[in-house]
Amino acid sequence: MRKLALHWQILIGILLGIFFGVLSIQFNEGKEFVLDWIKPFGTIFINLLKLIAIPLIIVSLIKGISDLKDITQLSSLGLKTFGLYISTTIIAVCIGLLLVNLIQPGSFITDNTRQEMLQSFGGEINQKVDEVNKINERRGPLQVLVNIVPENIFAATSSNSNMLQVIFFSLLVGIAMIMLPLTQIEPLKKVLDAANDVVLKIVDIIMLFAPYGVFALIVTLIAEAPSTDMFKALSIYAVTVILGLLIMVYLIYGSFIYLFGKKNPLEYFKAILPAQLLGISTSSSAATLPVTMECAEENLKIRKDVLSFVLPIGATINMDGTCLYQGVAAVFIAQVMGYDLNFSQQLSIVATATLASIGAAAVPGAGILMLVIVLESIGVNPAGIALIFAVDRPLDMLRTATNVTGDLMVATLMNKTKL
């Protein structure tokens, strides 16, 4: 296995996972065996990736910013990065809305199937709605800004859901280092250089386990899958989402890479394949971040000062795949539930999905919480999310790969920018 490139190792893990996953559901006790003896290894792999995510962000972000010459470079890089992320997010939502209005997947769901799905997943959806209500409790217009600034950095680093707070602290430290004379910060820079080397070596160690962790995740996903009847009913909806993601990745990102990045799109997609495959396996941009940064540095040859700033930010605020899914899912649910959305309501989906993506947790399942917010903004009952819950996890895997691809696309473009 060690002689093979990482992306081939992960791909083999995925294929074997599919094979053994399908095999396990053919036996009466197959699912129990998978849950007891295979799933724990997938959980361990995810935990290892999440374990290193925050240390990697802190060390690489502070180091990357402190290596810049002055504040002007930082502001230039920050504004361009943020502008690109927001632009691609808006494009993604619009693509989703265009496809769902053309294909009309809601017309393929029967009343019986709708009732079955609402009954099957209604309880889980109520929990998600309650979570959103707690988040929105006493939420003012500037609460997003308040949430970015931590009152205790040690408490902020205790959870990957506080990624924006960790980034804020890292930015603050990096800016302070830029403003101080080199003689005063040189000892700290040496510590950061050493810490960066240690963290990257830990990533290398974790990646030795990647093919086996991916195998365990895929086997578990298939073993826990709901009935095939529901999948058949949702196939058109799933195809609509997947078509949108493919357009976003290969047409939109490919065009950006070719026109502005001055790279061959085929070479670009080959270079980022390990990060894409890991994104598919983990359904988490944060967990994939170590490999994303490794692909950027080793395969795409992106400068450290660029990738250490652009990629951690992207893992938190760039949710192109998720936002495209928001647009498709919101209109699909409205179609099935009998709501007739006008143009202004669909514009509201664009705005709400874009804003909700900023600061959304880069972890599995965050898209469902965002979708509750989007549905409530257009007056559609969030209980309708139960209609898509059966296929959410497989689609979550694909939209995470899209998010990761977008992060690397923006980093590639920023690498061409003179700071």
Side-chain angles (χ1 to χ4, degrees):
M1 291 286 282
R2 291 182 181 177
K3 295 180 181 179
L4 290 173
L6 178 62
H7 62 274
W8 288 117
Q9 295 182 38
I10 294 175
L11 187 58
I12 290 171
I14 291 174
L15 294 175
L16 288 176
I18 293 172
F19 174 76
F20 282 99
V22 172
L23 190 65
S24 70
I25 60 178
Q26 307 303 318
F27 299 94
N28 292 332
E29 297 183 359
K31 180 176 180 179
E32 287 72 16
F33 177 82
V34 168
L35 297 181
D36 291 340
W37 297 99
I38 297 180
K39 184 178 180 179
F41 292 102
T43 305
I44 290 170
F45 179 56
I46 291 289
N47 289 346
L48 284 171
L49 289 170
K50 290 182 178 179
L51 171 71
I52 202 62
I54 286 181
L56 179 64
I57 285 176
I58 293 175
V59 172
S60 63
L61 196 51
I62 295 175
K63 175 176 163 46
I65 294 171
S66 63
D67 286 342
L68 297 174
K69 293 179 181 179
D70 52 44
I71 299 295
T72 306
Q73 282 190 315
L74 177 62
S75 61
S76 173
L77 180 62
L79 287 173
K80 290 176 182 177
T81 300
F82 189 77
L84 259 177
Y85 279 143
I86 294 299
S87 299
T88 56
T89 297
I90 293 172
I91 292 171
V93 184
C94 291
I95 289 173
L97 289 176
L98 177 64
L99 289 176
V100 75
N101 280 289
L102 286 175
I103 298 173
Q104 297 280 325
S107 62
F108 293 87
I109 300 292
T110 64
D111 290 338
N112 291 337
T113 304
R114 178 178 60 188
Q115 293 304 321
E116 181 185 350
M117 292 175 184
L118 289 171
Q119 290 173 6
S120 298
F121 300 104
E124 294 177 67
I125 298 306
N126 289 334
Q127 291 179 5
K128 298 293 182 183
V129 174
D130 290 341
E131 287 181 46
V132 171
N133 289 336
K134 288 179 182 178
I135 294 172
N136 290 333
E137 216 170 73
R138 298 180 182 176
R139 186 184 180 94
L142 298 180
Q143 189 61 40
V144 173
L145 295 179
V146 174
N147 292 340
I148 291 175
V149 183
E151 61 180 27
N152 186 320
I153 186 56
F154 297 103
T157 56
S158 66
S159 172
N160 283 349
S161 63
N162 299 326
M163 208 68 86
L164 269 183
Q165 296 184 350
V166 174
I167 289 173
F168 175 83
F169 173 79
S170 302
L171 285 171
L172 200 58
V173 174
I175 291 170
M177 290 178 69
I178 293 177
M179 298 175 71
L180 288 169
L182 181 60
T183 53
Q184 293 185 27
I185 63 169
E186 194 168 9
L188 180 56
K189 285 182 72 71
K190 290 181 179 179
V191 170
L192 286 170
D193 288 339
N196 190 56
D197 291 338
V198 170
V199 168
L200 291 178
K201 180 53 66 176
I202 293 174
V203 171
D204 290 339
I205 294 170
I206 294 173
M207 284 304 102
L208 295 175
F209 185 61
Y212 311 102
V214 166
F215 167 79
L217 290 169
I218 297 299
V219 172
T220 304
L221 173 69
I222 294 174
E224 293 181 329
S227 68
T228 54
D229 290 338
M230 290 187 181
F231 277 123
K232 289 176 183 176
L234 291 170
S235 59
I236 302 298
Y237 159 74
V239 166
T240 305
V241 175
I242 293 169
L243 179 60
L245 295 177
L246 290 173
I247 291 173
M248 193 68 200
V249 170
Y250 294 105
L251 180 60
I252 304 301
Y253 293 156
S255 298
F256 272 84
I257 289 295
Y258 180 75
L259 295 174
F260 306 111
K262 306 301 180 184
K263 278 184 175 291
N264 184 330
L266 294 178
E267 293 179 0
Y268 165 77
F269 288 120
K270 181 180 177 181
I272 68 169
L273 190 57
Q276 288 181 315
L277 292 174
L278 197 63
I280 289 173
S281 307
T282 62
S283 299
S284 170
S285 300
T288 310
L289 185 59
V291 177
T292 305
M293 297 182 76
E294 192 173 32
C295 286
E297 184 175 0
E298 295 184 5
N299 299 346
L300 295 174
K301 308 301 180 186
I302 296 174
R303 302 194 311 271
K304 284 189 177 180
D305 60 328
V306 172
L307 69 89
S308 61
F309 176 82
V310 174
L311 294 178
I313 297 288
T316 306
I317 71 169
N318 182 43
M319 299 285 174
D320 291 351
T322 305
C323 286
L324 186 147
Y325 146 84
Q326 305 288 326
V328 175
V331 177
F332 168 74
I333 292 169
Q335 290 171 352
V336 177
M337 303 291 282
Y339 292 89
D340 186 17
L341 300 181
N342 56 37
F343 182 71
S344 63
Q345 286 175 310
Q346 299 210 23
L347 281 181
S348 177
I349 294 174
V350 176
T352 308
T354 302
L355 293 173
S357 71
I358 301 173
V363 295
I368 288 291
L369 294 177
M370 290 170 59
L371 185 55
V372 173
I373 297 171
V374 171
L375 289 174
E376 289 188 335
S377 73
I378 56 174
V380 175
N381 187 351
I385 294 176
L387 298 169
I388 62 168
F389 212 77
V391 292
D392 181 68
R393 183 59 197 276
L395 293 179
D396 194 9
M397 298 164 72
L398 296 175
R399 60 186 187 249
T400 299
T402 303
N403 295 341
V404 170
T405 306
D407 296 344
L408 285 162
M409 183 274 294
V410 172
T412 302
L413 266 56
M414 289 298 98
N415 194 52
K416 290 288 184 181
T417 304
K418 292 183 180 180
L419 301 177

